[in-house]
Amino acid sequence: MKTFVILRGLSGSGKTYESLNIIKDISNKSTVGSFLIASTDDYFVDIEGKYVFDSRLLKRNHDLNFKRVVTAFAIDIQIVLLDNPNIKTSHYRHYERIAKVF
């Protein structure tokens, strides 16, 4: 069975920390196969591991993150966590729609 979790919260509120706790909790109860924590923030990290936000890249990076989630569903990743602020429902509706397809 696939699991898709949409985390919601302001930047710095602990979504990534909670994502890791969810994976840890699931792995304590059963064998965790493949999983993805998908965050648009990943696309703002440079090759040295430094976070460099550029608002001009925000739409592009959101699109890349969405494509990554779609790919994860398509290749049968079992657990996908969406780690974006998702403050408005419009921010994550398209993720819900695609999750229902898979």
Side-chain angles (χ1 to χ4, degrees):
M1 181 176 91
K2 292 184 182 182
T3 302
F4 181 50
V5 178
I6 299 172
L7 289 107
R8 298 179 69 192
L10 298 174
S11 294
S13 64
K15 294 178 301 299
T16 301
Y17 179 80
E18 189 60 31
S19 295
L20 296 170
N21 281 336
I22 290 169
I23 295 299
K24 187 189 320 182
D25 186 52
I26 292 170
S27 66
N28 286 338
K29 295 176 182 171
S30 65
T31 301
V32 174
S34 53
F35 70 91
L36 169 68
I37 298 174
S39 174
T40 299
D41 281 347
D42 295 344
Y43 296 97
F44 291 105
V45 177
D46 67 15
I47 58 171
E48 296 172 356
K50 182 179 172 188
Y51 183 79
V52 182
F53 181 78
D54 182 342
S55 62
R56 296 170 298 175
L57 300 176
L58 190 57
K59 180 177 179 352
R60 181 201 76 155
N61 290 352
H62 273 300
D63 291 345
L64 289 170
N65 196 54
F66 180 73
K67 289 176 186 174
R68 176 168 54 168
V69 169
V70 170
T71 300
F73 290 142
I75 63 172
D76 220 20
I77 300 292
Q78 294 302 300
I79 303 168
V80 177
L81 295 104
L82 178 60
D83 177 14
N84 282 343
N86 299 308
I87 301 302
K88 297 179 182 180
T89 56
S90 61
H91 295 163
Y92 61 86
R93 277 281 153 84
H94 54 299
Y95 286 96
E96 284 183 322
R97 284 193 293 270
I98 198 67
K100 289 176 183 177
V101 170
F102 291 95

